[in-house]
Amino acid sequence: MMDSKILMSNNRITILDGFRTLAIISVLLYHYFYRWNDPIYPYFGGDNFHYGFKGVPFFFMISGFVIFYSLENTSDFVSFWKKRFIRLFPSMFIASIITFIFLLIFDYNNIFADSNHFRNLITSFTFLPPNLFDLIFGTKNHFSYLNYSYWSLWPEIQFYFLSSAIYFFDKFNFKRNYIVACFLLLGIFYLANFYNLNQIKYVEKSINLFNLIKHLPFFLAGSLFYMLYKNKNSYKDLFFIVITFILINFSLSMVELIATLIMYSLFFCFIYYPKLIGFLDNKIFINIGISSYFLYLIHEYIGVVWIRNIVTCFYPYSFIAPVLIIILMTIFSVLYTIKVEMKIAKKLNNYLFQKKND
């Protein structure tokens, strides 16, 4: 049997890039064909992608796995956050500026009017949610996301802080402390929901602001899969994985159940039967997966406006417009990642870690 650890290149677990490709394609299809399907020139088959948004929790699971891998290969708390800055900030800065300028010029119908406000461009650089800025400045709905897809970055940042703080506080007992902390937080959250405490104004605001708790089961599951990846015979990790599965499907939603089964099955195949998903470990999937972060940042509002501006050219075959934009956005993101992002990351890495390298 092919060992899953073989599926690595340049310290990357390449099969995870295949997972990222599945996640980003799922989100693209959801946004272009369902969420923003043109009401005048509707795209064929839009309803088939109703649940493509489940690609986002799949990204959360991948992050849970990858961050644990990163923590084990990082010496200290500051170095970890330097790496996160190098990975996240340059592309967020560039994507935000591109989005702002593009919408300013081409959003003729003001589909995304809030994205024309300079304040929302500036706040997007911080990764922080609009409701936090409203709280700070005492305003109500004054700030908004430059691109609503950015919402998922804030839970990611919270997860990075939670996991890195626990890890560097006590590396030796990290696994135990992390699992206890996560289940404690989840216990408090579910109890609050059970007793309707989440309907109290300040509790509701706190949960909406520190919203990692809503998505923590996915991050936790990804982390536990990493532990299982390191020790395939750990029944304890398997037990906790089953618990996260139950928590995610607590609402007894069939859609949630099917989506979670697919995600979990992919991770189990990766760990125990990698040959079954070997098709994901190819150059095209890997390149799209590597560029999926930038593609995620630019795809939604730019893509929707672009599609709306050209869809009449393809009617009655309107579906060609979103398919064409998916291809163009993907190619652009891959080229950006190879030609720009990697070079910026190399320069920043040399600068931020130069003292340790001297």
Side-chain angles (χ1 to χ4, degrees):
M1 182 186 294
M2 179 173 58
D3 193 284
S4 57
K5 292 184 181 180
I6 294 175
L7 304 174
M8 298 184 70
S9 176
N10 297 322
N11 293 321
R12 292 184 71 93
I13 303 174
T14 54
I15 201 69
L16 294 181
D17 289 318
F19 286 3
R20 290 186 180 97
T21 298
L22 295 180
I24 191 62
I25 289 175
S26 175
V27 172
L28 286 167
L29 292 173
Y30 166 72
H31 281 145
Y32 291 170
F33 280 90
Y34 183 81
R35 175 68 179 86
W36 297 106
N37 199 322
D38 195 297
I40 301 174
Y41 305 98
Y43 320 136
F44 171 76
D47 288 341
N48 295 325
F49 305 109
H50 186 179
Y51 301 106
F53 65 91
K54 293 298 181 182
V56 174
F58 194 31
F59 271 125
F60 290 158
M61 284 184 67
I62 297 168
S63 289
F65 189 104
V66 170
I67 290 304
F68 267 49
Y69 176 78
S70 178
L71 285 169
E72 289 191 353
N73 292 278
T74 306
S75 59
D76 56 77
F77 185 81
V78 174
S79 295
F80 172 80
W81 280 97
K82 284 181 180 179
K83 288 182 178 180
R84 291 294 91 201
F85 175 83
I86 293 169
R87 175 72 181 97
L88 300 176
F89 182 77
S91 289
M92 182 62 161
F93 183 80
I94 293 170
S96 295
I97 291 175
I98 292 174
T99 300
F100 181 75
I101 294 174
F102 184 94
L103 295 179
L104 209 58
I105 298 172
F106 296 107
D107 189 10
Y108 312 122
N109 299 313
N110 277 331
I111 301 171
F112 305 112
D114 287 339
S115 298
N116 294 327
H117 296 299
F118 188 70
R119 63 177 178 270
N120 293 327
L121 169 65
I122 298 302
T123 56
S124 72
F125 299 151
T126 68
F127 295 83
L128 299 173
N131 55 340
L132 178 59
F133 289 100
D134 280 326
L135 181 65
I136 292 171
F137 293 101
T139 55
K140 186 176 182 179
N141 300 324
H142 183 63
F143 296 90
S144 62
Y145 286 106
L146 181 73
N147 184 330
Y148 192 73
S149 291
Y150 294 177
W151 76 265
S152 65
L153 299 174
W154 175 229
E156 293 267 3
I157 297 297
Q158 294 171 79
F159 173 70
Y160 300 159
F161 180 80
L162 175 69
S163 55
S164 61
I166 296 173
Y167 181 78
F168 291 109
F169 175 75
D170 184 359
K171 292 182 182 180
F172 183 77
N173 295 305
F174 169 60
K175 181 177 176 179
R176 180 202 66 192
N177 295 344
Y178 172 78
I179 292 173
V180 169
C182 286
F183 279 114
L184 182 62
L185 288 171
L186 288 169
I188 294 170
F189 175 64
Y190 285 109
L191 281 173
N193 287 343
F194 182 79
Y195 288 106
N196 294 321
L197 297 178
N198 57 330
Q199 296 181 12
I200 298 173
K201 181 180 178 180
Y202 293 106
V203 174
E204 181 185 13
K205 281 189 173 183
S206 297
I207 292 173
N208 288 334
L209 182 58
F210 300 104
N211 59 352
L212 168 63
I213 193 65
K214 297 179 180 180
H215 313 285
L216 187 55
F218 292 101
F219 288 104
L220 176 56
S223 306
L224 291 166
F225 273 115
Y226 178 74
M227 297 175 193
L228 191 63
Y229 169 75
K230 297 280 286 185
N231 181 9
K232 295 180 178 62
N233 298 316
S234 174
Y235 293 107
K236 188 181 294 184
D237 294 334
L238 279 169
F239 171 76
F240 287 128
I241 287 171
V242 171
I243 296 299
T244 61
F245 184 89
I246 293 170
L247 290 175
I248 291 169
N249 291 282
F250 204 69
S251 62
L252 301 178
S253 164
M254 182 57 67
V255 172
E256 194 76 68
L257 177 63
I258 293 171
T260 313
L261 279 172
I262 293 172
M263 295 180 215
Y264 277 55
S265 296
L266 285 168
F267 270 99
F268 275 120
C269 285
F270 160 56
I271 294 170
Y272 293 109
Y273 307 103
K275 283 186 177 180
L276 293 178
I277 53 173
F279 67 94
L280 294 174
D281 190 38
N282 67 72
K283 191 173 182 179
I284 294 175
F285 273 73
I286 291 170
N287 282 332
I288 295 174
I290 291 172
S291 64
S292 61
Y293 173 54
F294 186 73
L295 179 55
Y296 181 82
L297 293 177
I298 66 167
H299 83 277
E300 187 175 4
Y301 284 10
I302 291 177
V304 170
V305 168
W306 198 351
I307 292 168
R308 294 284 176 91
N309 289 349
I310 67 171
V311 69
T312 55
C313 301
F314 300 99
Y315 190 77
Y317 305 104
S318 304
F319 71 92
I320 295 175
V323 169
L324 179 62
I325 298 307
I326 287 174
I327 294 170
L328 291 175
M329 295 283 265
T330 301
I331 292 172
F332 176 69
S333 297
V334 170
L335 290 174
Y336 162 82
T337 302
I338 295 171
K339 301 294 184 180
V340 179
E341 182 185 291
M342 289 182 177
K343 292 181 180 179
I344 293 174
K346 185 176 180 180
K347 288 182 180 296
L348 284 174
N349 191 71
N350 290 337
Y351 176 74
L352 292 175
F353 291 97
Q354 62 180 345
K355 291 183 179 179
K356 290 193 173 184
N357 293 333
D358 291 341

